[in-house]
Amino acid sequence: MRFLSFMNTPVGRGIRIVGGLALMIAAVDIGGAAGAALAVFALLPIATGVFGLCPINPLFGQPVRACAVPATRRTRHT
């Protein structure tokens, strides 16, 4: 799936981190119990971006750490 492939690139990981940080800023702005809940939720995209995890990958038959799995390159032996 193209979306999953993109989200496992360095740019996709950066988007998850920035999105999580934006949620964290919104959580501080909201405050209270709702803000605390949003701040805890914001840790999820930050952590998945930092550690290279994609929790929805197994639903599509890919490993959770798809971005950590190096692409295999076929070489021709002549």
Side-chain angles (χ1 to χ4, degrees):
M1 186 168 210
R2 294 177 81 180
F3 176 73
L4 292 178
S5 296
F6 171 73
M7 290 308 287
N8 287 314
T9 64
V11 173
R13 291 174 66 185
I15 289 172
R16 285 185 276 168
I17 294 169
V18 169
L21 292 173
L23 286 174
M24 192 68 74
I25 291 168
V28 170
D29 189 45
I30 292 171
L38 185 58
V40 170
F41 178 76
L43 294 174
L44 181 66
I46 293 170
T48 61
V50 168
F51 296 114
L53 304 173
C54 191
I56 64 170
N57 272 356
L59 298 174
F60 298 96
Q62 296 181 8
V64 173
R65 294 210 50 168
C67 56
V69 177
T72 57
R73 179 182 266 186
R74 291 187 176 203
T75 57
R76 293 178 61 171
H77 297 286
T78 54

